[in-house]
């Protein structure tokens, strides 16, 4: 019984903070896409469980075995391309549209689901800042050219991996791997949104990956508050103004007053 009472109390505290906020910084992680069928990284059955992260999401791994890394990203791209935004993505998109221009959605996810929700429910205001890049974009390891790329990946051999039309060098996923720096302009845009926000709404992240995990702390150290939506506690929970224990797909439509469309 207390769990429900706690959840309702946190939901009320979260709702009143958001209602009185002028500017809101939203940070999402893999949890916001869990109900769309996209596996999270560190949860049960997470991406890191079946695959060895140190083998896959680093530039060293790609240099050592580009075929294996592309096999993983090709599998993820195939899986994600069959997923749709869930009511959590869609409530965020509709709410960002309604509250524009004072809501900025920043995501650690590379699945493109916030963008899909923005296109159907939210318009420009809901297009996210993608801190870690996109599964559906590639970058040339030779000439640096970036392009959208949605074709299936043939990772049967190193010879069948995607190559650049312009310089024939190997293409790589345009995502940020561990040990790689984030795009400075992207990070600055996210940092500015966090600094100027009255509320940081943090949804579905274990808050362990830096520098993303520190962005809500930037809001707090600039005088704002942190509101969290997550079925489990995270390192951000102790300092949060409210931490709603629940799933994004059911909490966000209620919290944002945008019934699941
Ligand atoms: C950097 C893209 C400067 C690729 C990702 C030592 C050496 C080198 C670096 C470091 C080091 N120590 C620390 C670092 C920094 C490192 C880091 O943070 N490491 C961590 C692990 C300690 N960071 C970096 O390397 C970054 N770059 O710092 O550059 C630099 C340069 C050189 C040397 C040093 C520093 C780059 C980080 C980006 C890495 N790329 N992804 C890809 O996707 O394949 S990170 C990866 O983790 C994803 O992007 C993911 O989004 C991100 C965070 O994970 P979460 O999104 O939080 O997902 P997770 O599964 O963990 O949690 C899910 C949560 O959802 C849970 O809390 C769960 O309870 C909740 N949930 C579940 N269901 C639901 C739900 N919530 C709501 N509703 C539900 N239904
Ligand atoms: Zn090239």
């Amino acid at each position: 019984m207390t769990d429900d009472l706690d959840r309702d109390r946190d939901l009320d505290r979260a709702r009143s903070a958001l209602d009185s906020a002028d500017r809101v910084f939203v940070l999402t992680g893999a949890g916001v896409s869990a109900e769309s069928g996209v596996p999270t990284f560190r949860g049960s059955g997470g991406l890191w469980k079946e695959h060895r992260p140190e083998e896959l999401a680093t530039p060293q791994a790609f240099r050592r075995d580009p075929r294996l890394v592309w096999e993983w990203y090709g599998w993820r791209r195939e899986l994600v391309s069959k997923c749709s935004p869930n009511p959590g993505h869609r409530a965020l998109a509709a709410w960002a549209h309604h509250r524009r221009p004072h809501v900025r959605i920043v995501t650690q996810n590379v699945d493109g689901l916030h963008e899909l929700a923005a296109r159907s429910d939210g318009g420009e205001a809901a297009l996210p800042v993608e801190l870690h890049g996109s599964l559906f974009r590639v970058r040339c390891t030779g000439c640096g050219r970036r392009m959208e790329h949605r074709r299936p990946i043939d990772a049967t051999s190193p010879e069948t991996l995607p190559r650049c039309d312009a310089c024939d060098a190997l293409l790589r996923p345009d995502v940020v791997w561990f040990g790689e720096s984030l795009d400075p302009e992207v990070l600055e845009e996210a940092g500015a949104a966090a600094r100027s926000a009255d509320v940081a709404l943090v949804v579905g992240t274990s808050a362990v990956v830096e520098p993303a995990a520190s962005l809500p702390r930037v809001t707090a150290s600039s005088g704002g508050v942190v509101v969290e939506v997550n079925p489990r506690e995270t390192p951000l929970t102790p300092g949060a103004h409210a931490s709603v224990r629940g799933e994004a797909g059911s909490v966000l439509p209620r919290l944002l007053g945008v019934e699941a469309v």
Side-chain angles (χ1 to χ4, degrees):
M1 183 52 186
T2 46
D3 284 359
D4 289 345
L5 280 179
D6 287 348
R7 187 187 9 244
D8 289 347
R9 186 207 58 209
D10 274 310
L11 198 63
D12 289 343
R13 281 171 63 84
R15 192 179 286 126
S16 62
L18 288 167
D19 287 350
S20 51
D22 175 35
R23 308 181 72 82
V24 180
F25 160 69
V26 182
L27 175 69
T28 68
V32 79
S33 298
E35 291 151 276
S36 298
V38 181
T40 61
F41 285 82
R42 297 167 184 86
S44 54
L47 284 169
W48 299 126
K49 293 285 174 294
E50 291 150 45
H51 299 274
R52 304 167 302 285
E54 65 288 347
E55 287 292 308
L56 298 170
T58 68
Q60 294 78 7
F62 189 74
R63 261 196 304 282
R64 190 174 53 242
D65 189 346
R67 196 210 60 74
L68 177 69
V69 173
W70 260 124
E71 186 179 59
W72 185 48
Y73 280 92
W75 171 77
R76 284 174 67 192
R77 185 190 279 187
E78 183 64 27
L79 181 146
V80 168
S81 58
K82 297 190 180 82
C83 297
S84 311
N86 64 59
H89 293 108
R90 306 192 65 171
L92 270 175
W95 183 70
H97 181 66
H98 171 69
R99 294 280 296 256
R100 70 186 181 284
H102 300 314
V103 174
R104 200 75 181 95
I105 298 174
V106 174
T107 187
Q108 300 171 82
N109 301 340
V110 296
D111 58 30
L113 293 180
H114 281 301
E115 182 169 349
L116 277 183
R119 297 213 182 287
S120 58
D121 304 287
E124 290 288 313
L127 284 176
V129 175
E130 293 180 323
L131 288 175
H132 297 155
S134 169
L135 272 179
F136 302 104
R137 226 182 17 248
V138 292
R139 187 162 88 232
C140 177
T141 58
C143 63
R145 189 179 306 249
R146 271 188 166 87
M147 64 213 89
E148 189 160 328
H149 188 282
R150 293 178 176 273
R151 293 193 299 279
I153 301 294
D154 179 354
T156 44
S157 88
E159 288 66 45
T160 57
L161 294 178
R163 306 190 81 85
C164 176
D165 294 341
C167 74
D168 198 39
L170 197 55
L171 296 173
R172 58 164 278 179
D174 191 20
V175 297
V176 180
W177 280 325
F178 286 102
E180 290 187 320
S181 300
L182 279 65
D183 177 317
E185 285 172 23
V186 168
L187 188 54
E188 178 39 41
E189 183 175 357
R195 258 191 310 279
S196 62
D198 307 303
V199 176
L201 173 57
V202 186
V203 185
T205 182
S206 58
V208 296
V209 171
E210 296 296 350
S214 295
L215 289 169
R217 296 187 180 95
V218 168
T219 303
S221 55
S222 311
V225 296
V226 174
V227 164
E228 188 180 37
V229 176
N230 196 315
R232 282 182 284 283
E233 284 216 358
T234 77
L236 293 175
T237 305
H241 174 73
S243 188
V244 185
R245 281 294 151 273
E247 300 200 321
S250 45
V251 170
L252 288 178
R254 287 175 59 204
L255 173 63
L256 304 176
V258 181
E259 274 327 301
V261 285

